[in-house]
Amino acid sequence: MLRVPPAAPSAAAAYFAASLAFHADASDVAAALGADGGPGFALLDSRSTEAWDQGHIPGAVHLPTARIAAEAGRLLDKAVPVVTYCWGPGCDGAARAALALAELGYHVKEMRGGFEYWVREGFPYETSEGRRRRDADPLTAPVAADDCGC
């Protein structure tokens, strides 16, 4: 691990501050969606209609990446930041959607973990058949607390 030494503290601080400017996690998004006065951002699901019907985060805007250039102006306000998500950490769809939005002039972040971690952390989701919720996966979220303390 130390074959390559850690970065200088100032470089590490700059890197991690930049990372947080580009990313949010599912628990932070969930907390913001539940906050009084609204979250202060639009949540965008960039997956296909079939994936959306299989399950999506309540309140999300559905806009597949391929349609962002043509439809973002009709569905999103450039004055409101956007958080994108796709399937999960093995998928670059949310990053591609964030790039497309940034190129159009939107302030944007990507939700790490995507829909997979939203569900694994026990947050509610909607399907074409109604609202669902699974128990939290103990490998991704605390099962006996509302907050992981991060």
Side-chain angles (χ1 to χ4, degrees):
M1 196 298 290
L2 295 178
R3 189 175 298 164
V4 175
S10 61
Y15 171 84
F16 291 114
S19 179
L20 291 170
F22 295 112
H23 300 104
D25 64 29
S27 62
D28 288 342
V29 170
L33 290 174
D36 290 338
F41 61 85
L43 183 61
L44 186 139
D45 184 318
S46 64
R47 300 172 303 147
S48 69
T49 299
E50 295 80 13
W52 169 268
D53 289 344
Q54 186 175 327
H56 58 273
I57 298 171
V61 173
H62 181 226
L63 182 56
T65 302
R67 298 193 333 235
I68 286 175
E71 298 181 32
R74 181 177 58 81
L75 296 172
L76 301 168
D77 179 349
K78 282 191 180 176
V80 176
V82 179
V83 175
T84 63
Y85 75 90
C86 198
W87 272 113
C91 175
D92 283 335
R96 284 191 292 274
L99 173 59
L101 289 165
E103 288 175 337
L104 293 172
Y106 290 87
H107 291 88
V108 65
K109 286 188 173 194
E110 175 187 4
M111 185 178 84
R112 289 185 181 204
F115 182 68
E116 175 189 345
Y117 273 68
W118 181 270
V119 173
R120 289 181 73 187
E121 290 186 28
F123 299 120
Y125 62 98
E126 295 176 340
T127 71
S128 58
E129 298 174 358
R131 195 164 209 158
R132 305 278 163 93
R133 184 179 207 139
R134 294 184 183 177
D135 290 338
D137 179 337
L139 296 176
T140 64
V143 293
D146 292 334
D147 186 341
C148 69
C150 297

